[in-house]
Amino acid sequence: MKEIIEIAELRKRFKLELDIMAEFFQTDNLKMAVLTPENSAKIFSHSNSDFEKTVKKINLSNDDYKQIISANDFQTKAILSKYLDDFSSELNFLKVKTGAYIYLIYFPLNKEIKTHNSAALKLFQKQIKAVLDDIYRQEEIRDNLSQKNLENQSLKKEKYITASALDSVPGNISILDKEGNIVYTNSSWEEFAYQNGAVAENTGVNENYLEVCKKSAEMGDLISARAYNGILSVLNNEQDNFSMDYPCHSPREKRWFRMHVSSFKGIGAYELMILHQNITKEIMAEKKSEEILNKLPAAILKFDSKKKLIYFNKKAMNLLDLNENNLGSRLKEIKIADQSSDDFLDKLDYAEVNNKRINFRIYISQNGFKQYFNNYLVPEFEDGQLKTITSIIPEEMISKNTNQKTEKQRNHYLQLFNNFPEALVLLDIDERIINVNKKFSQLFEYEIDELKNQKLDDLIVPADQKKNGRELSHQVLTGARVEEKVYRINSQGEKLELNLKAFPVLLQNNQIGIYAIYKNLNRD
């Protein structure tokens, strides 16, 4: 805080007090010294019309200011007499400390004037002290108000910056206080709440987000129940953050969102931040990936860095009869062929330690019958740390013995297939051609290589028979056998009248394809 003499509006008030004092003591030589903590002394003359101008400025020794604070009148006069001639002669003076400053008012002693006595000086000392204390108190209040104003301006600026930052986040944000009341939302929150129905209705500023979730949960909404428990756990400092993914479909599209709850110790009564982000593209990509993995001719199992099973496709589920409740027990059914010491987890450890792909034979026992398969383990590392291990089990079983017997059986099967007197075609469950025999190639006038992996109906079903073709395919794919007279076309577009027999191909009670037999009814 400044000394009084430097503040114009205060200087006038204080000058009035000095005027009264000078008149009372009948002196025109009243002076004032202001001592500062920096060990300097400024001298002002009351008789000077330009009162704010310093008459004299002196520098005190290092300890003089501190000594004068506690010194009595005699000691004070002795210290100042080293610097000011006035204090070497007889004079009256009073000393007042206010704030960080010492004010000394002094004037020459005139013994003929009766008002020059210690009692009058003490009264003026009290008066001057009261005036200075009041001035400093008022000035402190003004300083505090000024500081508050600066802080409020800074607070507004900080809030504006925070709001701008939150508005730029790609997501819908609300800030909650300790009670769960919404105290702030970013610009996209209201639109988000409007579009998301029961999950986010009535969630504007001053609404209690916790209560909305709680009421929906009590009505049986499981998503709201999860959200309520998650928010509460962060508010109660049971966990630092909480996330959950949830579907929020509209009549026009399927959508998924991710809700993230985290502590937000910001400006004001801010306690918690809730962020909702649209993750539909991410979910659709995952579903597409799962769809591809489900179509692969192999069982796929994925393990995390702790060898915990985190994913399996449909073929793995069917092969091992997996469900969410029996993962551990079913994995124990995977045995390593021709090895008694290692189990499946040992192989996972080996793949990690050696950081390489490995393959080995496994068998799975069902109803006393052992099914043998090849198994490939593929470890994936990130920054030198194991991320996942993928197990790939091709769905084609292998013989426990040598492949010689299997190959002989396969050749025998192919001979029977190719020499069958009617047209044969083998399809997968997507109705794509796996193989045809020579008779089929001759009947429809296609080369065998032209047909493989093609959609059968696209090649041989006439446009006016497409509906009938789909219905027949659906029947067989749902497990039925069909026999019916149909019309089909060859590669030249010529119509053929045929007898069709079709039936599902099963492996371990699971449909893996379709066999179809075509007999030409126009044949002589």
Side-chain angles (χ1 to χ4, degrees):
M1 185 179 293
K2 295 179 180 180
E3 59 187 77
I4 299 298
I5 205 71
E6 293 180 348
I7 306 169
E9 62 271 21
L10 300 180
R11 184 172 63 244
K12 292 177 181 178
R13 178 181 174 185
F14 193 63
K15 177 68 162 54
L16 179 62
E17 298 296 328
L18 297 181
D19 288 343
I20 295 170
M21 189 174 176
E23 184 177 350
F24 179 84
F25 287 108
Q26 301 178 30
T27 180
D28 57 1
N29 195 20
L30 189 144
K31 294 179 182 177
M32 180 178 69
V34 181
L35 309 185
T36 72
E38 293 79 23
N39 285 302
S40 69
K42 294 180 181 180
I43 313 301
F44 300 89
S45 172
H46 164 257
S47 59
N48 188 347
S49 59
D50 198 4
F51 182 63
E52 72 271 17
K53 289 185 178 179
T54 306
V55 174
K56 188 177 182 180
K57 185 176 180 180
I58 58 176
N59 293 320
L60 306 178
S61 299
N62 290 337
D63 296 331
D64 286 343
Y65 172 83
K66 292 181 180 178
Q67 290 180 11
I68 291 172
I69 289 175
S70 57
N72 58 31
D73 289 351
F74 179 79
Q75 292 168 333
T76 300
K77 187 175 181 182
I79 295 170
L80 290 175
S81 63
K82 296 184 294 183
Y83 306 102
L84 300 170
D85 293 337
D86 293 332
F87 280 83
S88 300
S89 59
E90 292 187 357
L91 53 73
N92 287 311
F93 76 93
L94 58 88
K95 180 176 69 174
V96 173
K97 182 178 182 302
T98 302
Y101 300 98
I102 300 173
Y103 289 85
L104 291 118
I105 300 169
Y106 57 96
F107 53 91
L109 178 63
N110 188 340
K111 295 180 180 179
E112 297 180 358
I113 301 175
K114 295 180 179 180
T115 56
H116 288 193
N117 56 67
S118 60
L121 279 174
K122 286 182 180 179
L123 287 172
F124 271 101
Q125 185 180 34
K126 289 182 180 180
Q127 173 68 14
I128 295 295
K129 171 70 172 170
V131 170
L132 286 172
D133 285 347
D134 182 61
I135 288 173
Y136 269 89
R137 186 165 51 252
Q138 295 299 324
E139 187 64 16
E140 185 176 1
I141 290 171
R142 277 192 291 269
D143 285 347
N144 288 340
L145 289 174
S146 178
Q147 181 63 28
K148 285 288 184 183
N149 185 48
L150 289 173
E151 289 175 359
N152 287 337
Q153 289 179 2
S154 177
L155 184 63
K156 288 178 182 178
K157 183 178 180 181
E158 192 171 345
K159 281 187 174 181
Y160 174 77
I161 292 171
T162 302
S164 297
L166 293 178
D167 280 345
S168 66
V169 172
N172 311 288
I173 293 175
S174 68
I175 308 296
L176 310 187
D177 63 14
K178 290 183 179 180
E179 306 301 322
N181 298 306
I182 298 175
V183 293
Y184 173 82
T185 61
N186 74 345
S187 58
S188 59
W189 176 265
E190 290 184 5
E191 181 181 355
F192 165 78
Y194 175 76
Q195 293 176 350
N196 285 272
V199 174
E201 67 178 347
N202 300 323
T203 51
V205 172
N206 298 325
E207 296 290 343
N208 191 292
Y209 193 84
L210 263 180
E211 285 299 316
V212 172
C213 292
K214 184 179 180 181
K215 287 178 182 178
S216 296
E218 289 172 348
M219 294 174 65
D221 188 334
L222 297 180
I223 293 174
S224 294
R226 287 178 60 201
Y228 175 78
N229 292 328
I231 294 170
L232 208 58
S233 68
V234 180
L235 271 178
N236 293 336
N237 296 317
E238 295 171 4
Q239 55 182 358
D240 295 332
N241 53 69
F242 164 77
S243 292
M244 69 176 229
D245 297 346
Y246 62 93
C248 189
H249 306 318
S250 73
R252 293 173 304 209
E253 62 176 336
K254 289 188 177 296
R255 301 175 306 174
W256 286 264
F257 287 86
R258 176 167 295 143
M259 176 187 189
H260 185 75
V261 182
S262 60
S263 177
F264 187 83
K265 308 293 185 182
I267 307 158
Y270 295 171
E271 191 71 20
L272 206 71
M273 181 175 78
I274 298 179
L275 168 66
H276 292 266
Q277 289 181 305
N278 191 318
I279 58 167
T280 302
K281 289 184 179 180
E282 179 182 331
I283 295 296
M284 294 302 289
E286 288 180 3
K287 289 184 175 294
K288 186 66 177 177
S289 176
E290 288 183 10
E291 183 180 335
I292 293 171
L293 290 175
N294 283 329
K295 288 183 177 180
L296 291 176
I300 308 293
L301 303 110
K302 185 168 284 190
F303 301 84
D304 65 13
S305 59
K306 296 180 180 179
K307 318 302 188 310
K308 179 182 177 183
L309 183 61
I310 56 174
Y311 170 79
F312 52 88
N313 68 351
K314 287 184 179 179
K315 288 184 173 62
M317 180 179 68
N318 294 333
L319 176 66
L320 298 171
D321 191 24
L322 285 172
N323 60 60
E324 295 293 339
N325 299 319
N326 70 354
L327 300 181
S329 61
R330 292 305 299 162
L331 288 176
K332 291 179 182 178
E333 299 299 319
I334 303 176
K335 305 296 183 182
I336 310 302
D338 305 322
Q339 294 185 29
S340 59
S341 59
D342 285 356
D343 61 19
F344 192 74
L345 289 177
D346 291 330
K347 291 295 186 180
L348 293 174
D349 291 334
Y350 182 85
E352 176 187 8
V353 171
N354 292 275
N355 189 10
K356 67 177 184 179
R357 301 182 182 186
I358 61 172
N359 67 285
F360 50 92
R361 291 200 309 161
I362 62 170
Y363 67 85
I364 301 166
S365 297
Q366 289 185 346
N367 301 321
F369 176 71
K370 292 181 179 179
Q371 296 176 294
Y372 285 80
F373 300 89
N374 280 315
N375 184 47
Y376 300 85
L377 293 183
V378 184
E380 179 186 358
F381 287 80
E382 188 176 90
D383 298 328
Q385 299 294 320
L386 179 68
K387 186 178 180 183
T388 60
I389 298 179
T390 302
S391 170
I392 305 171
I393 306 173
E395 61 186 11
E396 181 181 354
M397 284 192 294
I398 60 173
S399 170
K400 178 182 177 182
N401 302 312
T402 64
N403 290 332
Q404 183 176 359
K405 184 178 179 181
T406 303
E407 187 64 28
K408 184 176 180 181
Q409 290 174 338
R410 185 171 181 272
N411 290 336
H412 178 66
Y413 159 76
L414 287 176
Q415 287 179 9
L416 291 174
F417 183 82
N418 282 324
N419 294 323
F420 195 80
E422 304 295 346
L424 287 180
V425 59
L426 175 61
L427 309 175
D428 64 17
I429 57 174
D430 292 320
E431 303 171 67
R432 293 187 181 276
I433 299 170
I434 297 174
N435 202 2
V436 300
N437 67 353
K438 293 178 182 178
K439 201 69 177 179
F440 185 95
S441 175
Q442 293 168 358
L443 176 62
F444 291 99
E445 299 184 28
Y446 283 101
E447 295 294 329
I448 294 177
D449 291 340
E450 290 182 84
L451 296 168
K452 286 187 177 181
N453 206 36
Q454 298 297 316
K455 279 268 192 179
L456 178 64
D457 285 2
D458 293 345
L459 298 177
I460 68 171
V461 178
D464 60 350
Q465 295 291 311
K466 292 291 186 184
K467 182 179 179 181
N468 172 260
R470 285 194 298 271
E471 290 174 351
L472 293 175
S473 296
H474 177 73
Q475 291 178 42
V476 180
L477 286 170
T478 53
R481 293 170 175 259
V482 300
E483 181 172 0
E484 190 171 321
K485 184 172 74 172
V486 296
Y487 292 95
R488 297 293 183 260
I489 56 174
N490 61 19
S491 64
Q492 307 302 316
E494 298 169 344
K495 184 172 286 190
L496 305 173
E497 186 179 9
L498 306 169
N499 177 266
L500 166 65
K501 292 181 181 180
F503 49 90
V505 180
L506 303 177
L507 176 63
Q508 299 295 311
N509 296 321
N510 293 309
Q511 184 166 349
I512 63 172
I514 299 172
Y515 257 124
I517 304 172
Y518 291 92
K519 182 177 181 180
N520 191 351
L521 299 179
N522 294 331
R523 185 173 53 191
D524 293 335

